[in-house]
Amino acid sequence: MPDPTVEAAREILDDSLEQLRAAVEGCTAEQLNRRPAGDDTNGLAVLATHALHSTRAWLCLALGQPLPPRDRPAEFAVVVDDPEGFLRDVDALAAECRTLLATEQPFDPARTGLAPWRPGALADEPVAAAWALIHALAHLREHVGHAQLTRQVV
């Protein structure tokens, strides 16, 4: 029987990923790249890219999986030339996130790990699996909301 915490996380993740995809699907490159309130804001491509890479990394940490390579600053510099290719990338990252939660292994909320992408001294502070799992979902949901609002103005 699947772990009820992982099962609940899977349901929230699926809903969030569907909403994120809906926010970027059908957009032109210009719409995906547009920063609606100027250069210090993020466009849809940046929001989706960052949200997916972050979610995958936090889920790996939460589930005790090897951490994926991550270039966090590059997530905020992404520029889309090919919207269809971008959507394929979104789908591939979403599939990786779903696969991480498709485990039958029991979830150990007390397991700890390091998140090297965190700033400064935080990169060396252990993070509990429970915190990483909740943060992965909350952070994704936050950026889904950002993407939905951004989609309305692009």
Side-chain angles (χ1 to χ4, degrees):
M1 181 162 160
D3 183 292
T5 301
V6 173
E7 185 63 27
R10 188 179 305 131
E11 289 179 26
I12 294 168
L13 178 77
D14 282 340
D15 182 60
S16 297
L17 292 174
E18 287 172 16
Q19 289 185 40
L20 184 63
R21 189 183 199 284
V24 299
E25 186 176 26
C27 287
T28 65
E30 179 184 0
Q31 289 171 314
L32 290 168
N33 295 323
R34 184 169 177 247
R35 296 175 182 262
D39 289 341
D40 62 341
T41 62
N42 295 311
L44 285 168
V46 167
L47 290 169
T49 299
H50 169 66
L52 289 165
H53 282 278
S54 178
T55 301
R56 179 181 63 174
W58 283 111
L59 288 176
C60 284
L61 183 67
L63 298 165
Q65 297 299 311
L67 298 180
R70 184 167 181 211
D71 182 354
R72 190 175 184 281
E75 296 166 17
F76 292 92
V78 70
V79 175
V80 172
D81 295 323
D82 174 13
E84 291 174 9
F86 178 73
L87 195 57
R88 285 191 299 274
D89 292 343
V90 164
D91 289 341
L93 281 165
E96 288 183 45
C97 292
R98 286 184 172 107
T99 297
L100 287 163
L101 286 176
T103 181
E104 295 295 323
Q105 298 296 318
F107 177 63
D108 178 4
R111 181 184 46 250
T112 62
L114 298 178
W117 55 85
R118 295 177 85 189
L122 289 175
D124 297 321
E125 289 186 22
V127 178
W131 192 94
L133 179 62
I134 292 168
H135 181 71
L137 299 172
H139 183 257
L140 172 61
R141 206 63 171 185
E142 177 183 357
H143 287 309
V144 167
H146 292 156
Q148 290 169 327
L149 290 171
T150 301
R151 176 69 186 254
Q152 292 176 14
V153 297
V154 298

PDB file of all heavy atoms in Angstrom, residues 1 11 23 27-28 30 42 50 57 62 76 78 84 104 109 111 113 122 126 152:
ATOM      1  N   MET A   1       0.849  -1.177   0.000  1.00  0.00           N
ATOM      2  CA  MET A   1       0.000   0.000   0.000  1.00  0.00           C
ATOM      3  C   MET A   1       0.895   1.242   0.000  1.00  0.00           C
ATOM      4  O   MET A   1       1.847   1.327   0.768  1.00  0.00           O
ATOM      5  CB  MET A   1      -0.868  -0.020   1.249  1.00  0.00           C
ATOM      6  CG  MET A   1      -1.797   1.139   1.347  1.00  0.00           C
ATOM      7  SD  MET A   1      -3.078   0.717   2.532  1.00  0.00           S
ATOM      8  CE  MET A   1      -3.656   2.290   2.944  1.00  0.00           C
ATOM      9  N   GLU A  11      -1.095  13.607  -5.491  1.00  0.00           N
ATOM     10  CA  GLU A  11      -2.321  14.261  -5.964  1.00  0.00           C
ATOM     11  C   GLU A  11      -2.130  15.769  -6.104  1.00  0.00           C
ATOM     12  O   GLU A  11      -2.547  16.370  -7.103  1.00  0.00           O
ATOM     13  CB  GLU A  11      -3.473  13.955  -5.018  1.00  0.00           C
ATOM     14  CG  GLU A  11      -3.950  12.522  -5.099  1.00  0.00           C
ATOM     15  CD  GLU A  11      -5.079  12.229  -4.128  1.00  0.00           C
ATOM     16  OE1 GLU A  11      -5.811  13.177  -3.756  1.00  0.00           O
ATOM     17  OE2 GLU A  11      -5.235  11.056  -3.751  1.00  0.00           O
ATOM     18  N   ALA A  23      -0.888  26.922 -18.147  1.00  0.00           N
ATOM     19  CA  ALA A  23      -0.474  28.332 -18.168  1.00  0.00           C
ATOM     20  C   ALA A  23       0.496  28.628 -19.299  1.00  0.00           C
ATOM     21  O   ALA A  23       0.552  29.763 -19.790  1.00  0.00           O
ATOM     22  CB  ALA A  23       0.143  28.724 -16.828  1.00  0.00           C
ATOM     23  N   CYS A  27       1.260  29.250 -25.857  1.00  0.00           N
ATOM     24  CA  CYS A  27       1.906  30.572 -25.884  1.00  0.00           C
ATOM     25  C   CYS A  27       2.938  30.645 -27.001  1.00  0.00           C
ATOM     26  O   CYS A  27       3.579  29.647 -27.339  1.00  0.00           O
ATOM     27  CB  CYS A  27       2.605  30.860 -24.561  1.00  0.00           C
ATOM     28  SG  CYS A  27       1.494  31.213 -23.203  1.00  0.00           S
ATOM     29  N   THR A  28       3.110  31.824 -27.521  1.00  0.00           N
ATOM     30  CA  THR A  28       4.184  32.089 -28.479  1.00  0.00           C
ATOM     31  C   THR A  28       5.480  32.291 -27.694  1.00  0.00           C
ATOM     32  O   THR A  28       5.455  32.491 -26.467  1.00  0.00           O
ATOM     33  CB  THR A  28       3.895  33.363 -29.290  1.00  0.00           C
ATOM     34  OG1 THR A  28       3.897  34.484 -28.384  1.00  0.00           O
ATOM     35  CG2 THR A  28       2.563  33.281 -30.028  1.00  0.00           C
ATOM     36  N   GLU A  30       7.246  34.911 -27.792  1.00  0.00           N
ATOM     37  CA  GLU A  30       7.158  36.263 -27.231  1.00  0.00           C
ATOM     38  C   GLU A  30       6.371  36.269 -25.923  1.00  0.00           C
ATOM     39  O   GLU A  30       6.778  36.903 -24.938  1.00  0.00           O
ATOM     40  CB  GLU A  30       6.502  37.212 -28.234  1.00  0.00           C
ATOM     41  CG  GLU A  30       6.364  38.628 -27.722  1.00  0.00           C
ATOM     42  CD  GLU A  30       5.627  39.556 -28.685  1.00  0.00           C
ATOM     43  OE1 GLU A  30       5.203  39.114 -29.765  1.00  0.00           O
ATOM     44  OE2 GLU A  30       5.491  40.731 -28.317  1.00  0.00           O
ATOM     45  N   ASN A  42       9.600  38.131 -13.777  1.00  0.00           N
ATOM     46  CA  ASN A  42       9.824  36.890 -14.508  1.00  0.00           C
ATOM     47  C   ASN A  42       8.679  36.596 -15.462  1.00  0.00           C
ATOM     48  O   ASN A  42       7.512  36.777 -15.115  1.00  0.00           O
ATOM     49  CB  ASN A  42       9.977  35.720 -13.531  1.00  0.00           C
ATOM     50  CG  ASN A  42      11.198  35.871 -12.675  1.00  0.00           C
ATOM     51  OD1 ASN A  42      12.281  36.140 -13.167  1.00  0.00           O
ATOM     52  ND2 ASN A  42      11.029  35.719 -11.377  1.00  0.00           N
ATOM     53  N   HIS A  50      11.985  27.487 -13.582  1.00  0.00           N
ATOM     54  CA  HIS A  50      12.428  27.498 -12.191  1.00  0.00           C
ATOM     55  C   HIS A  50      11.554  26.585 -11.334  1.00  0.00           C
ATOM     56  O   HIS A  50      12.063  25.800 -10.521  1.00  0.00           O
ATOM     57  CB  HIS A  50      12.428  28.919 -11.634  1.00  0.00           C
ATOM     58  CG  HIS A  50      12.623  28.963 -10.161  1.00  0.00           C
ATOM     59  ND1 HIS A  50      13.798  28.570  -9.546  1.00  0.00           N
ATOM     60  CD2 HIS A  50      11.770  29.317  -9.156  1.00  0.00           C
ATOM     61  CE1 HIS A  50      13.670  28.686  -8.236  1.00  0.00           C
ATOM     62  NE2 HIS A  50      12.446  29.130  -7.980  1.00  0.00           N
ATOM     63  N   ALA A  57      14.320  19.008  -7.678  1.00  0.00           N
ATOM     64  CA  ALA A  57      15.418  18.962  -6.714  1.00  0.00           C
ATOM     65  C   ALA A  57      14.901  18.714  -5.297  1.00  0.00           C
ATOM     66  O   ALA A  57      15.436  17.872  -4.570  1.00  0.00           O
ATOM     67  CB  ALA A  57      16.226  20.258  -6.778  1.00  0.00           C
ATOM     68  N   ALA A  62      13.667  15.132  -0.623  1.00  0.00           N
ATOM     69  CA  ALA A  62      12.638  14.597   0.265  1.00  0.00           C
ATOM     70  C   ALA A  62      12.582  13.071   0.228  1.00  0.00           C
ATOM     71  O   ALA A  62      12.325  12.431   1.251  1.00  0.00           O
ATOM     72  CB  ALA A  62      11.272  15.166  -0.124  1.00  0.00           C
ATOM     73  N   PHE A  76      16.633  31.444 -14.242  1.00  0.00           N
ATOM     74  CA  PHE A  76      16.062  32.783 -14.318  1.00  0.00           C
ATOM     75  C   PHE A  76      16.520  33.549 -15.557  1.00  0.00           C
ATOM     76  O   PHE A  76      16.101  34.688 -15.767  1.00  0.00           O
ATOM     77  CB  PHE A  76      16.417  33.561 -13.043  1.00  0.00           C
ATOM     78  CG  PHE A  76      15.730  33.015 -11.838  1.00  0.00           C
ATOM     79  CD1 PHE A  76      16.349  32.052 -11.047  1.00  0.00           C
ATOM     80  CD2 PHE A  76      14.451  33.419 -11.509  1.00  0.00           C
ATOM     81  CE1 PHE A  76      15.714  31.518  -9.936  1.00  0.00           C
ATOM     82  CE2 PHE A  76      13.801  32.893 -10.408  1.00  0.00           C
ATOM     83  CZ  PHE A  76      14.428  31.941  -9.622  1.00  0.00           C
ATOM     84  N   VAL A  78      16.464  31.897 -18.695  1.00  0.00           N
ATOM     85  CA  VAL A  78      15.988  31.128 -19.845  1.00  0.00           C
ATOM     86  C   VAL A  78      15.225  32.024 -20.823  1.00  0.00           C
ATOM     87  O   VAL A  78      14.476  32.909 -20.427  1.00  0.00           O
ATOM     88  CB  VAL A  78      15.125  29.926 -19.392  1.00  0.00           C
ATOM     89  CG1 VAL A  78      13.792  30.380 -18.830  1.00  0.00           C
ATOM     90  CG2 VAL A  78      14.907  28.961 -20.524  1.00  0.00           C
ATOM     91  N   GLU A  84       7.180  24.899 -28.892  1.00  0.00           N
ATOM     92  CA  GLU A  84       6.849  23.464 -28.876  1.00  0.00           C
ATOM     93  C   GLU A  84       7.939  22.670 -28.171  1.00  0.00           C
ATOM     94  O   GLU A  84       7.649  21.755 -27.393  1.00  0.00           O
ATOM     95  CB  GLU A  84       6.617  22.954 -30.290  1.00  0.00           C
ATOM     96  CG  GLU A  84       5.351  23.500 -30.923  1.00  0.00           C
ATOM     97  CD  GLU A  84       5.193  23.094 -32.379  1.00  0.00           C
ATOM     98  OE1 GLU A  84       5.971  22.248 -32.871  1.00  0.00           O
ATOM     99  OE2 GLU A  84       4.274  23.629 -33.018  1.00  0.00           O
ATOM    100  N   GLU A 104       6.874   3.121  -4.111  1.00  0.00           N
ATOM    101  CA  GLU A 104       6.164   2.335  -3.100  1.00  0.00           C
ATOM    102  C   GLU A 104       6.952   2.319  -1.789  1.00  0.00           C
ATOM    103  O   GLU A 104       6.520   1.719  -0.813  1.00  0.00           O
ATOM    104  CB  GLU A 104       5.942   0.905  -3.601  1.00  0.00           C
ATOM    105  CG  GLU A 104       5.015   0.822  -4.814  1.00  0.00           C
ATOM    106  CD  GLU A 104       3.586   1.269  -4.513  1.00  0.00           C
ATOM    107  OE1 GLU A 104       3.088   0.993  -3.404  1.00  0.00           O
ATOM    108  OE2 GLU A 104       2.986   1.917  -5.386  1.00  0.00           O
ATOM    109  N   PRO A 109       9.967  10.937   7.026  1.00  0.00           N
ATOM    110  CA  PRO A 109       9.955  12.393   7.169  1.00  0.00           C
ATOM    111  C   PRO A 109      11.132  12.943   7.970  1.00  0.00           C
ATOM    112  O   PRO A 109      11.463  14.116   7.833  1.00  0.00           O
ATOM    113  CB  PRO A 109       8.633  12.675   7.890  1.00  0.00           C
ATOM    114  CG  PRO A 109       8.264  11.401   8.547  1.00  0.00           C
ATOM    115  CD  PRO A 109       8.850  10.296   7.726  1.00  0.00           C
ATOM    116  N   ARG A 111      14.312  11.810   7.733  1.00  0.00           N
ATOM    117  CA  ARG A 111      15.584  11.732   7.001  1.00  0.00           C
ATOM    118  C   ARG A 111      16.029  13.153   6.669  1.00  0.00           C
ATOM    119  O   ARG A 111      15.205  14.021   6.389  1.00  0.00           O
ATOM    120  CB  ARG A 111      15.404  10.914   5.715  1.00  0.00           C
ATOM    121  CG  ARG A 111      16.699  10.785   4.914  1.00  0.00           C
ATOM    122  CD  ARG A 111      16.539  10.055   3.583  1.00  0.00           C
ATOM    123  NE  ARG A 111      15.397  10.487   2.825  1.00  0.00           N
ATOM    124  CZ  ARG A 111      14.305   9.760   2.618  1.00  0.00           C
ATOM    125  NH1 ARG A 111      14.196   8.558   3.113  1.00  0.00           N
ATOM    126  NH2 ARG A 111      13.306  10.237   1.925  1.00  0.00           N
ATOM    127  N   GLY A 113      18.935  15.799   4.552  1.00  0.00           N
ATOM    128  CA  GLY A 113      19.875  15.942   3.453  1.00  0.00           C
ATOM    129  C   GLY A 113      20.230  17.406   3.287  1.00  0.00           C
ATOM    130  O   GLY A 113      19.656  18.279   3.948  1.00  0.00           O
ATOM    131  N   LEU A 122      22.962  28.362   4.453  1.00  0.00           N
ATOM    132  CA  LEU A 122      21.829  27.437   4.390  1.00  0.00           C
ATOM    133  C   LEU A 122      22.170  26.184   3.589  1.00  0.00           C
ATOM    134  O   LEU A 122      21.605  25.118   3.832  1.00  0.00           O
ATOM    135  CB  LEU A 122      20.602  28.119   3.766  1.00  0.00           C
ATOM    136  CG  LEU A 122      19.922  29.181   4.616  1.00  0.00           C
ATOM    137  CD1 LEU A 122      18.803  29.847   3.823  1.00  0.00           C
ATOM    138  CD2 LEU A 122      19.394  28.597   5.913  1.00  0.00           C
ATOM    139  N   PRO A 126      21.337  20.848   7.352  1.00  0.00           N
ATOM    140  CA  PRO A 126      20.473  19.721   6.985  1.00  0.00           C
ATOM    141  C   PRO A 126      19.003  20.128   6.926  1.00  0.00           C
ATOM    142  O   PRO A 126      18.534  20.952   7.711  1.00  0.00           O
ATOM    143  CB  PRO A 126      20.704  18.712   8.113  1.00  0.00           C
ATOM    144  CG  PRO A 126      22.008  19.102   8.729  1.00  0.00           C
ATOM    145  CD  PRO A 126      22.096  20.591   8.567  1.00  0.00           C
ATOM    146  N   GLN A 152      -2.469  35.854 -17.810  1.00  0.00           N
ATOM    147  CA  GLN A 152      -3.586  36.782 -18.022  1.00  0.00           C
ATOM    148  C   GLN A 152      -3.143  38.108 -18.619  1.00  0.00           C
ATOM    149  O   GLN A 152      -3.947  38.783 -19.263  1.00  0.00           O
ATOM    150  CB  GLN A 152      -4.329  37.023 -16.713  1.00  0.00           C
ATOM    151  CG  GLN A 152      -5.070  35.818 -16.205  1.00  0.00           C
ATOM    152  CD  GLN A 152      -5.714  36.064 -14.862  1.00  0.00           C
ATOM    153  OE1 GLN A 152      -5.834  37.201 -14.397  1.00  0.00           O
ATOM    154  NE2 GLN A 152      -6.137  34.992 -14.212  1.00  0.00           N
TER     155      GLN A 152
END
